[in-house]
Amino acid sequence: MNNYKLTIQYDGGRYQGWQRLGNSDNTIQGKIESVLTEMAGEPIEIFGCSRTDSGVHALAQIANFKMGGNSTESEVMNYLNRYLPQDISIVEVELVPERFHARYNAKDKTYLYKIWNEQYTNPFMRKYSMHVEETLNIPSMKEACQYFIGTHDFTSYSNAKSKKKSMVREIYTIEIEEIAGFLEIRVRGNGFLYNMVRKIVGTLIEVGLGEIVAAKIPSILESKERVQTGRMADPAGLYLENVDF
Amino acid sequence: MNNYKLTIQYDGGRYQGWQRLGNSDNTIQGKIESVLTEMAGEPIEIFGCSRTDSGVHALAQIANFKMGGNSTESEVMNYLNRYLPQDISIVEVELVPERFHARYNAKDKTYLYKIWNEQYTNPFMRKYSMHVEETLNIPSMKEACQYFIGTHDFTSYSNAKSKKKSMVREIYTIEIEEIAGFLEIRVRGNGFLYNMVRKIVGTLIEVGLGEIVAAKIPSILESKERVQTGRMADPAGLYLENVDF
């Protein structure tokens, strides 16, 4: 059996997220598995590094799967790109050692969030960014970032259903860049809870609008109550950008 | 009567082009006129600088219109952006002298054409660029550009219906840039015939693929027969980028 590593880009707009849901195939995982199952002539399961939410995009989702036969990397890439829908694209296929597992071996992940911060809508990016009309106070947002960096219990900043698993994660960096009308926010950490990036960005936006003060963040984290957090940023602005192994 | 100049961005994907067609309102001009007519309480006609084709985009279409009352620039901008669809956006409104006319006063126009030149589809740009899978020979394409520059009869490079009007246009510059998987082709000239940019880009692609040689272009131009030209590039990759007055 060969072990193949995939680098995948997708526009998540019309999908219910990465993770296959029973027999529904309106998920990225479901779409890719059904093409691979067709190629292999037997059921293939793929393991994605990150379970991106409904509507969230990826610039470089990483997944792996095992398949018999001796298909080359470019045969797998060409077959997938021929039969996948146009909003899912395989950017790279690599043969990797048998022990490689995209989820378990991931060391850190970077999410990119794009905000379009002009009065008018951006017609080309309306499905690929969140539109905030009011001018955001960037220095305040940068100050707010500092409170999230480090190891914290992120219960307040998640909608994770399970209460049994650890809610502790480490965020290494949060960077905010202004690029031609956009605000690009990059969050890098060792792992992320369900909705965590969108809730953190939602709070950064509230700080940028002057609705809450940055210094309030530590007490929200300490409360471990998700009702303490405010808005959640739109899925359309969120991209899984990079995974390190 | 005030004379207002509009700078407009649009994703032309779902429209039948700029120019209003009878009572159909599935055109950019039609959409904007119907909002302005509502605002003014009487029919308003707008004059666009360029009649972009069906499916073609604009980063900066320029138009003007006259309206009674004393609405300020920002009142006009806010009203339009509130009622226009999300894929049409008013970027700027400016009060201009009464004699200003967006079409007659335009001195030159720049069109941008985006080609995505990688093997795989770009999920985010699939509606905003043309995908060419085979690697294009850029030096040959740059050589081909030289044959279009200058004053020529562009009958072969147009699908214009009228044979009465002059088919002579001047192209000042054609520039090709490679940017992260994209080829950006900028064509600047004093005016363009129907489908002219898409036919020129189509020929540049044929040269880049080695299907025709650049040196054949002068004889195609001289033939003044549109059957001599080959493919026409997709509307999805074309943007009206700039107009100088």
Side-chain angles (χ1 to χ4, degrees), chain A residues 38-125:
Chain A
E38 197 71 34
M39 182 179 185
E42 57 180 349
I44 299 283
E45 187 177 359
I46 64 172
F47 304 97
C49 168
S50 171
R51 298 176 198 142
T52 56
D53 294 358
S54 180
V56 171
H57 316 296
L59 294 166
Q61 165 78 285
I62 307 294
N64 77 294
F65 67 94
K66 292 182 179 178
M67 186 169 72
N70 270 308
S71 299
T72 63
E73 293 158 337
S74 65
E75 280 166 356
V76 171
M77 177 148 163
N78 291 340
Y79 192 94
L80 280 167
N81 281 335
R82 180 168 312 139
Y83 293 107
L84 281 171
Q86 294 251 311
D87 47 12
I88 305 176
S89 202
I90 309 297
V91 172
E92 201 183 353
V93 178
E94 207 186 328
L95 278 161
V96 286
E98 212 197 316
R99 66 181 182 283
F100 176 86
H101 191 288
R103 179 140 20 106
Y104 303 145
N105 295 162
K107 277 211 303 252
D108 63 68
K109 295 172 198 168
T110 304
Y111 281 92
L112 164 63
Y113 198 93
K114 289 193 189 184
I115 295 170
W116 172 247
N117 191 24
E118 294 280 354
Q119 252 195 293
Y120 57 91
T121 305
N122 183 322
F124 307 102
M125 290 295 288

Side-chain angles (χ1 to χ4, degrees), chain A residues 9-11 57-59 77-78 81 86-91 119-124 126 128 239, chain B residues 9-11 57-59 77-78 81 86-91 119-124 126-128 239:
Chain A
Q9 281 192 356
Y10 48 83
D11 169 353
H57 316 296
L59 294 166
M77 177 148 163
N78 291 340
N81 281 335
Q86 294 251 311
D87 47 12
I88 305 176
S89 202
I90 309 297
V91 172
Q119 252 195 293
Y120 57 91
T121 305
N122 183 322
F124 307 102
R126 66 195 197 281
Y128 304 120
Y239 302 70
Chain B
Q9 282 192 356
Y10 48 83
D11 170 353
H57 315 298
L59 294 166
M77 177 148 164
N78 291 340
N81 281 334
Q86 293 252 311
D87 47 11
I88 304 175
S89 202
I90 308 298
V91 172
Q119 254 196 292
Y120 57 91
T121 305
N122 183 323
F124 307 102
R126 65 195 197 282
K127 294 176 179 170
Y128 304 120
Y239 303 70

Side-chain angles (χ1 to χ4, degrees), chain B residues 70-90:
Chain B
N70 269 308
S71 299
T72 64
E73 293 158 337
S74 63
E75 281 166 354
V76 171
M77 177 148 164
N78 291 340
Y79 192 94
L80 279 166
N81 281 334
R82 179 169 313 138
Y83 294 107
L84 281 171
Q86 293 252 311
D87 47 11
I88 304 175
S89 202
I90 308 298

Side-chain angles (χ1 to χ4, degrees), chain B residues 189-212:
Chain B
N190 67 354
F192 295 90
L193 303 168
Y194 183 55
N195 290 159
M196 180 171 149
V197 181
R198 290 169 57 196
K199 292 195 89 167
I200 290 174
V201 172
T203 293
L204 294 179
I205 291 170
E206 288 175 325
V207 169
L209 294 172
E211 294 172 3
I212 68 162

Side-chain angles (χ1 to χ4, degrees), chain B residues 144-244:
Chain B
C145 291
Q146 301 315 311
Y147 293 104
F148 290 111
I149 293 170
T151 303
H152 302 282
D153 182 312
F154 282 98
T155 304
S156 308
Y157 283 95
S158 160
N159 291 317
K161 276 154 204 155
S162 163
K163 292 260 169 192
K164 289 178 201 160
K165 293 184 185 165
S166 167
M167 297 293 195
V168 175
R169 295 290 185 277
E170 182 175 358
I171 291 186
Y172 304 130
T173 55
I174 307 184
E175 281 163 12
I176 302 184
E177 263 186 299
E178 290 175 86
I179 299 170
F182 288 98
L183 231 65
E184 295 196 350
I185 304 175
R186 281 185 172 76
V187 187
R188 193 173 142 258
N190 67 354
F192 295 90
L193 303 168
Y194 183 55
N195 290 159
M196 180 171 149
V197 181
R198 290 169 57 196
K199 292 195 89 167
I200 290 174
V201 172
T203 293
L204 294 179
I205 291 170
E206 288 175 325
V207 169
L209 294 172
E211 294 172 3
I212 68 162
V213 292
K216 211 187 144 195
I217 295 167
S219 67
I220 299 174
L221 280 166
E222 273 163 43
S223 76
K224 295 179 197 172
E225 280 177 19
R226 70 179 67 152
V227 292
Q228 297 291 321
T229 51
R231 75 165 79 190
M232 186 158 86
D234 298 344
L238 185 59
Y239 303 70
L240 172 61
E241 187 179 49
N242 187 59
V243 185
D244 287 321

Side-chain angles (χ1 to χ4, degrees), chain B residues 48-150:
Chain B
C49 168
S50 171
R51 297 175 198 144
T52 57
D53 293 358
S54 181
V56 171
H57 315 298
L59 294 166
Q61 166 77 285
I62 306 295
N64 77 294
F65 67 94
K66 294 185 178 176
M67 185 169 72
N70 269 308
S71 299
T72 64
E73 293 158 337
S74 63
E75 281 166 354
V76 171
M77 177 148 164
N78 291 340
Y79 192 94
L80 279 166
N81 281 334
R82 179 169 313 138
Y83 294 107
L84 281 171
Q86 293 252 311
D87 47 11
I88 304 175
S89 202
I90 308 298
V91 172
E92 202 183 352
V93 177
E94 208 186 326
L95 278 162
V96 286
E98 211 197 316
R99 67 182 180 282
F100 176 85
H101 191 286
R103 180 142 18 108
Y104 303 144
N105 295 163
K107 276 211 301 251
D108 64 69
K109 296 172 197 171
T110 304
Y111 281 90
L112 164 63
Y113 198 92
K114 290 193 190 185
I115 295 170
W116 172 246
N117 190 24
E118 295 280 353
Q119 254 196 292
Y120 57 91
T121 305
N122 183 323
F124 307 102
M125 290 295 287
R126 65 195 197 282
K127 294 176 179 170
Y128 304 120
S129 60
M130 178 171 170
H131 184 198
V132 177
E133 287 185 39
E134 302 78 15
T135 305
L136 292 163
N137 182 331
I138 320 284
S140 298
M141 292 173 75
K142 287 186 176 171
E143 187 201 332
C145 291
Q146 301 315 311
Y147 293 104
F148 290 111
I149 293 170

Side-chain angles (χ1 to χ4, degrees), chain A residues 177-224:
Chain A
E177 263 186 299
E178 290 174 86
I179 300 171
F182 289 97
L183 231 64
E184 296 196 349
I185 304 176
R186 282 184 171 77
V187 187
R188 194 174 142 256
N190 66 354
F192 294 91
L193 303 168
Y194 183 56
N195 289 159
M196 181 170 147
V197 181
R198 290 168 58 196
K199 291 194 87 166
I200 289 174
V201 172
T203 293
L204 294 178
I205 291 170
E206 288 175 326
V207 170
L209 294 172
E211 293 173 5
I212 68 161
V213 292
K216 210 187 145 196
I217 294 166
S219 67
I220 299 174
L221 280 166
E222 274 163 42
S223 74
K224 295 179 197 171

